[in-house]
Amino acid sequence: MIDFKLVLKTLAASFICFAQMAIASPELTYIDNQIAAHPNLSGIYVLDKGEDALLARAWLADHAEKTIEVQYFIWSTDNIGILASEALLRAADRGVKVRVIVDDLLIDAPDKSLLALAKHPNVEIHIYNPKHSVGTPFYKRLMNIVVNFRGVNQRMHDKTFIVDGKLAITGGRNMAAEYFDYNQKYNFRDRDALLLGDVAKDMQASFEKFWHSPLSAPVEDLYDGLGLMQKHVTVKDDEIQKIYSDLHDYANSPENFTPENRKAISDMPKAFAALAEKIIWTPIEFISDTPGKNNYKYIMGGGGVTTQKLAQLVESAQTQIVIQSPYLVMSSQAKKLFKDALKRGVKVRINTNSMASTDNLEAFSGYRNQRDQLIKMGIEVYEYKPDPQIKQKLVQRVLPKDAKPPVFAIHAKTMVVDAKTVFIGTFNFDPRSQNLNTEVGVIVQNEALANNVQNAIEVDMQPENSWSAATDNPDQYATSAKRRKVMALQLTPIKPLL
């Protein structure tokens, strides 16, 4: 059996050895020349494989010269999260200004570690809408839920990684092992976009709005409270240095470098050259919600910028719409949009998770309540298998024959319209993304790119990878325990929160 913990730790190589390379690399010069050669355009390359997406982030972190701005909904304290934190710390050590915004809901970093990182002279960390975790005792969390239910449910679902205002990544992946195919039990089929040029500046402008929003609080301010309503946490200088040292030691342990990782590192310049030839230069629109999503304070509706933009894409469709989304819970407004599209003769196909593959039974219960209705409307729905054949191509690591394969589930959030316009981002097709969570993404009108992405989704829809929701009765392949839980959830009035 593979020692997955050791394998995960070997990913440290991806995050540290690039630091040994000269920052003024030929690749950076090539990037600058390419940006200059394509005025008023941006470059895009789709990252479909988890390990490629991880290596891209590692390369960006270790080639940053001036600034790194990062926004994530989830930043776990698993191996990937730790290694990513160490990569940003090393960038800060060499003088790069690092700013990080993380949503408060699911953050689980130790208080002192979080505070120590924020005390680095080149690191600033903000927590978005801190009503659950950071600096918030349990009883204050309960009070927040009672007093401001909508507020505590309004989250920052953005995922952006921006370097020097000219290179960036956005898409579905959070900073945790399961988004890069390194979880032992559960991994995601996800999709990111590596971006170059003007679009990175637009992403940087969006980051600034969140950074300066009243909803975005510096970590230090969340730990300086007194009394029962806020935590008071301090960290001494020797503790700070010990935390930094432990992070570096964890990532620099030579025994963690497998031959596979060493080869990936040594081949990175050559791999980048090959990747650069596949970058498409085209107009790219970055879309993002404003902090807070909308002005609603008490009810769960309201929409947002990304909701409006994606609705306009659906309204523009003339022939076909292809969607890949982990969760599919249509609001009444969304159903009307798609009904109108179907009446125009637009073919609609959607690839989502099955009960057997989903990581979110609550969201699946909302989908199951309306699945028959969506099929009767004329939408073709395909539900992802937990062990699809395509996993053999998407996951680059090979498991031994006697190892139980991890569940593989959709997490990509993508829409292709008329095989010429593509959206890649963070927006799930559910009420939470529509009305509560801030979302981001890119809209690209380019036939070559749209066809490539659509082809990838269509492969995921094939019988070896997905079941037809209309004919295959996919629920039968889920465990009886899952079926019972979903049936119970279907009786609850939770749709606006899904």
Side-chain angles (χ1 to χ4, degrees):
M1 293 288 289
I2 284 181
D3 183 342
F4 275 91
K5 186 173 181 180
L6 179 61
V7 172
L8 282 171
K9 289 167 71 176
T10 64
L11 261 294
S14 301
F15 284 96
I16 70 165
C17 287
F18 296 125
Q20 300 170 5
M21 302 166 63
I23 294 302
S25 67
E27 292 82 13
L28 285 178
T29 301
Y30 176 84
I31 287 170
D32 289 336
N33 291 339
Q34 285 294 298
I35 292 173
H38 296 89
N40 303 317
L41 300 176
S42 297
I44 182 169
Y45 177 81
V46 176
L47 297 165
D48 265 330
K49 295 181 178 179
E51 197 159 355
D52 289 347
L54 186 61
L55 286 169
R57 285 168 170 82
W59 193 91
L60 290 181
D62 279 312
H63 284 75
E65 296 178 307
K66 298 177 181 178
T67 60
I68 299 176
E69 289 100 13
V70 179
Q71 270 180 282
Y72 279 100
F73 175 57
I74 296 173
W75 195 303
S76 292
T77 51
D78 60 14
N79 290 63
I80 296 300
I82 292 170
L83 295 174
S85 298
E86 195 275 339
L88 295 182
L89 180 61
R90 275 187 295 103
D93 285 343
R94 66 172 191 268
V96 176
K97 299 296 183 182
V98 177
R99 291 186 292 169
V100 178
I101 309 174
V102 182
D103 188 83
D104 181 60
L105 180 63
L106 298 175
I107 193 169
D108 62 351
D111 292 336
K112 289 201 172 188
S113 295
L114 195 58
L115 188 57
L117 288 170
K119 284 185 174 296
H120 191 289
N122 289 326
V123 176
E124 295 179 83
I125 302 174
H126 282 196
I127 305 300
Y128 183 84
N129 198 11
K131 293 181 171 63
H132 287 272
S133 301
V134 179
T136 306
F138 176 72
Y139 37 83
K140 186 177 180 182
R141 185 188 317 167
L142 290 179
M143 186 182 74
N144 288 337
I145 293 172
V146 172
V147 174
N148 187 8
F149 186 70
R150 186 196 186 280
V152 299
N153 275 286
Q154 197 283 300
R155 309 314 320 165
M156 184 195 73
H157 200 231
D158 302 27
K159 304 167 183 72
T160 61
F161 192 113
I162 311 161
V163 169
D164 295 337
K166 63 184 177 183
L167 292 152
I169 295 175
T170 192
R173 291 182 174 94
N174 289 294
M175 198 60 73
E178 58 266 30
Y179 298 93
F180 301 95
D181 305 331
Y182 275 88
N183 190 288
Q184 296 183 44
K185 297 180 179 180
Y186 198 96
N187 289 299
F188 287 118
R189 191 272 187 269
D190 220 324
R191 183 172 291 111
D192 287 329
L194 172 63
L195 303 158
L196 294 75
D198 288 347
V199 68
K201 296 187 182 300
D202 296 336
M203 295 171 68
Q204 204 171 39
S206 174
F207 180 92
E208 293 293 343
K209 291 180 182 178
F210 278 83
W211 187 258
H212 295 291
S213 167
L215 288 169
S216 181
V219 161
E220 297 93 323
D221 293 353
L222 299 174
Y223 287 129
D224 65 355
L226 296 175
L228 296 175
M229 287 304 185
Q230 189 172 323
K231 289 183 180 179
H232 185 75
V233 179
T234 59
V235 58
K236 298 178 182 178
D237 288 343
D238 59 334
E239 291 178 299
I240 292 174
Q241 295 308 313
K242 177 67 163 55
I243 288 168
Y244 292 174
S245 177
D246 287 348
L247 273 174
H248 292 316
D249 288 346
Y250 184 87
N252 280 286
S253 298
E255 65 268 19
N256 292 333
F257 298 171
T258 67
E260 182 181 58
N261 283 121
R262 290 185 185 278
K263 188 174 189 307
I265 293 163
S266 63
D267 287 350
M268 193 62 190
K270 181 169 61 179
F272 183 86
L275 179 151
E277 295 178 359
K278 299 176 183 178
I279 290 173
I280 294 174
W281 291 90
T282 185
I284 299 176
E285 180 184 7
F286 177 72
I287 62 174
S288 63
D289 288 309
T290 58
K293 188 73 171 186
N294 54 51
N295 294 325
Y296 281 46
K297 294 183 178 180
Y298 304 109
I299 62 176
M300 299 298 174
V305 175
T306 56
T307 303
Q308 182 181 6
K309 289 284 188 178
L310 293 179
Q312 290 171 354
L313 276 186
V314 174
E315 290 172 337
S316 73
Q318 298 299 314
T319 59
Q320 59 176 315
I321 298 172
V322 177
I323 293 171
Q324 193 164 48
S325 176
Y327 319 121
L328 178 60
V329 186
M330 286 198 189
S331 65
S332 56
Q333 300 99 315
K335 281 188 279 191
K336 184 179 184 306
L337 276 174
F338 283 96
K339 282 180 181 178
D340 290 344
L342 290 161
K343 287 179 182 177
R344 295 196 305 271
V346 177
K347 183 178 182 180
V348 180
R349 291 174 290 164
I350 302 178
N351 190 206
T352 191
N353 280 313
S354 64
M355 192 189 300
S357 67
T358 188
D359 68 315
N360 189 330
L361 293 182
E362 292 81 6
F364 190 86
S365 73
Y367 160 65
R368 196 168 190 252
N369 272 333
Q370 59 181 220
R371 179 170 54 191
D372 290 345
Q373 182 183 3
L374 299 181
I375 293 170
K376 288 178 182 177
M377 282 167 52
I379 297 175
E380 296 180 23
V381 183
Y382 300 89
E383 298 185 14
Y384 216 47
K385 295 181 177 181
D387 188 22
Q389 191 179 95
I390 189 64
K391 183 170 68 173
Q392 299 172 15
K393 293 184 178 180
L394 292 173
V395 179
Q396 293 169 297
R397 294 177 300 105
V398 179
L399 296 173
K401 292 182 179 180
D402 58 345
K404 183 179 179 180
V407 171
F408 202 52
I410 289 172
H411 196 260
K413 303 97 164 42
T414 309
M415 179 165 67
V416 184
V417 175
D418 294 340
K420 63 181 182 182
T421 303
V422 60
F423 165 79
I424 298 173
T426 68
F427 194 103
N428 296 310
F429 284 82
D430 59 23
R432 176 165 285 280
S433 284
Q434 179 178 326
N435 299 309
L436 292 172
N437 290 350
T438 63
E439 307 288 355
V440 300
V442 288
I443 296 175
V444 188
Q445 296 188 11
N446 183 281
E447 290 189 17
L449 181 73
N451 273 288
N452 288 341
V453 173
Q454 181 167 316
N455 288 341
I457 299 174
E458 288 174 339
V459 169
D460 284 331
M461 291 178 174
Q462 291 175 359
E464 60 269 26
N465 301 314
S466 293
W467 292 296
S468 167
T471 61
D472 291 336
N473 185 22
D475 293 354
Q476 67 179 306
Y477 301 103
T479 63
S480 58
K482 264 193 168 184
R483 292 197 297 270
R484 287 194 298 270
K485 289 179 182 178
V486 169
M487 289 175 66
L489 287 166
Q490 284 181 263
L491 302 174
T492 61
I494 59 175
K495 182 179 176 181
L497 299 175
L498 300 178

